[in-house]
Every structure is written in structure tokens, then in C-alpha cells.
């Protein structure tokens, strides 16, 4: 019986032998210290970063219109990506949840225009994002 490729020995130039299993364990040892991010974790981090920037630059004491506009632009891009994703029939989320996310994306785009052109309060967008982040956290953002 031929040895399994996983247990075959390999000669290294220095004359040392290492089997594939030991090599795999070594390769994954360093990465196991840093857990892989889940899709939810990535979404949470994006929401957190953008929400923090919107909140920071809309605050009266640290108001910066140019930086707020950039944060609002990034927020709108995030929501546009979410809307595109939930509009896809192949999306695995329940139809009701997909519809609610799509509605929030439309509301976010509309309210962003109001913030930029009419000086509407950006805290509404911060509140929406914070609620989404709570939902992502509750459903298991592991990393």
C-alpha cells in the first residue's frame, strides 16, 4: 500500500525530513492566533468605522463638513452595496428582512441628501447604523 500524500516524508536540502501534516500544523499555527473574520464581522467593522466618523464629524464641537461629507459618502456606498446584495434573488436572508434592509438603504440615501443639502441632522443615520450593528452583534459577530 502506498503511503498517503499527507504522511509521506519529504527530504529537505539540509537533510531534514518533515511530513506534510507537520508542515500544515506549522503553517496554520501562526494564523490560528488571529481568528478569521466572518462576513458579519466585516460588516460590523465597516459600520463601526463609518458610524464613528459620521458621529465625530457631525458633533458640534468637532464639526468638519468636508470630513462629514466623506463619511456620508462612504456610508451611502455601504448601504448601496447592501441594497444590491439583498435585491439579489439568491440572497439567503428571509424576504421580509431583505425588504427592510432595502428600505433602510433608500431612506439612508434620501436622508444623506438632506444632510448634505439642507443641513438635516446626521444623528438619524448614526442611530440606524448603530441599530444594525446591534443586530449584527446579537446574531453572532465572532470576529
Amino acid at each position: 500500500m502506498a503511503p498517503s500524500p499527507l504522511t509521506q516524508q519529504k527530504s529537505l536540502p539540509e537533510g531534514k525530513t518533515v511530513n506534510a501534516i507537520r508542515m500544515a500544523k506549522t503553517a496554520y499555527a501562526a494564523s490560528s492566533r488571529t481568528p478569521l473574520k466572518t462576513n458579519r464581522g466585516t460588516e460590523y467593522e465597516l459600520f463601526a468605522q463609518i458610524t464613528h466618523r459620521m458621529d465625530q464629524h457631525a458633533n458640534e464641537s468637532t464639526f468638519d463638513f468636508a470630513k462629514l461629507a466623506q463619511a456620508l459618502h462612504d456610508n451611502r456606498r455601504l448601504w448601496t452595496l447592501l441594497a444590491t446584495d439583498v435585491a439579489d434573488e439568491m440572497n439567503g436572508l428571509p424576504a421580509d428582512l431583505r425588504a427592510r434592509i432595502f428600505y433602510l438603504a433608500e431612506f439612508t440615501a434620501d436622508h444623506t441628501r438632506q444632510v448634505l443639502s439642507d443641513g438635516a441632522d446626521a444623528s438619524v443615520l448614526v442611530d440606524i447604523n448603530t441599530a444594525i450593528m446591534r443586530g449584527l452583534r446579537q446574531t453572532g459577530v465572532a470576529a
Side-chain angles (χ1 to χ4, degrees), residues 6-111:
L6 292 177
T7 59
Q8 287 180 340
Q9 299 291 313
K10 178 179 177 184
S11 290
L12 298 176
E14 305 89 47
K16 297 180 181 178
T17 56
V18 179
N19 69 33
I21 293 174
R22 193 171 326 166
M23 289 171 49
K25 286 180 182 176
T26 304
Y28 286 106
S31 65
S32 67
R33 289 183 213 121
T34 307
L36 297 175
K37 296 208 180 300
T38 63
N39 287 339
R40 287 190 191 296
T42 301
E43 289 172 352
Y44 182 91
E45 282 189 26
L46 285 170
F47 271 106
Q49 291 169 9
I50 292 169
T51 303
H52 173 73
R53 288 177 30 230
M54 285 192 305
D55 192 37
Q56 179 182 19
H57 301 304
N59 187 318
E60 286 182 24
S61 63
T62 57
F63 181 79
D64 183 327
F65 185 77
K67 289 181 180 179
L68 175 60
Q70 183 60 52
L72 290 169
H73 173 72
D74 292 344
N75 191 56
R76 188 173 6 196
R77 287 178 52 207
L78 175 60
W79 277 100
T80 299
L81 287 171
L82 289 172
T84 303
D85 188 43
V86 298
D88 184 353
E89 290 294 323
M90 300 302 291
N91 184 290
L93 293 175
D96 181 55
L97 179 57
R98 290 174 37 214
R100 286 184 279 153
I101 291 171
F102 193 86
Y103 168 78
L104 285 172
E106 288 180 325
F107 178 86
T108 298
D110 201 40
H111 194 74

Side-chain angles (χ1 to χ4, degrees), residues 124-139:
V124 172
L125 300 171
V126 170
D127 291 344
I128 290 170
N129 285 11
T130 302
I132 294 294
M133 289 166 40
R134 269 195 301 272
L136 288 168
R137 180 69 71 192
Q138 287 174 357
T139 54

